[in-house]
Amino acid sequence: MADLPACPSWSGDGLLPVELRAWMLLAATGAVEQQLRPVVKERLDVSHDEFLVLCLLAEQPAEGVRMTRIAELLGRPKTRLTYQIACLHHAGLVTRKSVCCDKRGVEVALTDQARRLLKEASGALAETVKEAMAHVVGPEQCEAVRGLLPDLAGEPAAE
């Protein structure tokens, strides 16, 4: 990773406005996802997209979330989400139920098995994210991300 170009600065002396520099930081998550994918597969035996659904559900009320809301929050087409939920349901990681008073609505919730697996895998997954972030963000971004991830591993890679 040492051959990567320096991450854009937030110092304000560049061509891009702060909003686009913040977006560049968000775009760097692709590099983090590449590091996370094999760990997710090894620890949870689900795809990265299915893992995103599990993470979203882990932060929601235990009674579940409507599939349309999950699709909105993840920016996923409903048809793709339907397939992902079917895979997770088949694996015993989510439950599906019809929404009261709405025949078309479906609520999805984590199973106890999914909660246990997420809890067991979260340490290794968090460490992978911290290490990957340390390689893709610049010094200013690293400080900003530390507000969210206080234990961000190391310093950014040297140029």
Side-chain angles (χ1 to χ4, degrees):
M1 293 215 192
D3 60 345
L4 293 175
C7 191
S9 172
W10 281 4
S11 64
D13 55 0
L15 174 67
L16 298 176
V18 68
E19 293 83 4
L20 290 179
R21 289 193 302 275
W23 173 77
M24 290 295 295
L25 176 62
L26 295 174
T29 61
V32 175
E33 287 175 356
Q34 293 225 345
Q35 298 291 316
L36 190 59
R37 273 187 175 91
V39 181
V40 166
K41 189 66 175 167
E42 176 189 328
R43 298 290 179 137
L44 299 173
D45 197 28
V46 298
S47 72
H48 183 263
D49 285 346
E50 292 163 355
F51 176 62
L52 288 174
V53 173
L54 293 176
C55 288
L56 184 129
L57 291 172
E59 295 296 315
Q60 302 298 318
E63 60 270 5
V65 179
R66 288 181 73 130
M67 283 187 52
T68 52
R69 183 65 178 147
I70 296 169
E72 289 172 1
L73 291 171
L74 295 179
R76 301 284 189 269
K78 291 177 190 173
T79 53
R80 177 137 177 84
L81 180 63
T82 299
Y83 174 76
Q84 292 167 342
I85 295 296
C87 291
L88 291 169
H89 185 257
H90 181 72
L93 300 176
V94 298
T95 60
R96 295 182 291 195
K97 68 178 181 181
S98 295
V99 176
C100 184
C101 305
D102 184 356
K103 293 180 194 176
R104 298 174 298 150
V106 175
E107 277 186 344
V108 180
L110 290 180
T111 63
D112 290 339
Q113 176 186 354
R115 290 183 188 284
R116 181 181 48 75
L117 285 172
L118 284 171
K119 189 172 186 172
E120 290 170 0
S122 65
L125 296 168
E127 191 61 32
T128 301
V129 169
K130 288 188 290 185
E131 289 174 7
M133 286 294 292
H135 289 288
V136 298
V137 299
E140 293 91 357
Q141 295 93 334
C142 200
E143 284 305 312
V145 172
R146 274 192 179 89
L148 298 171
L149 303 171
D151 297 329
L152 187 61
E155 290 298 317
E159 295 176 30

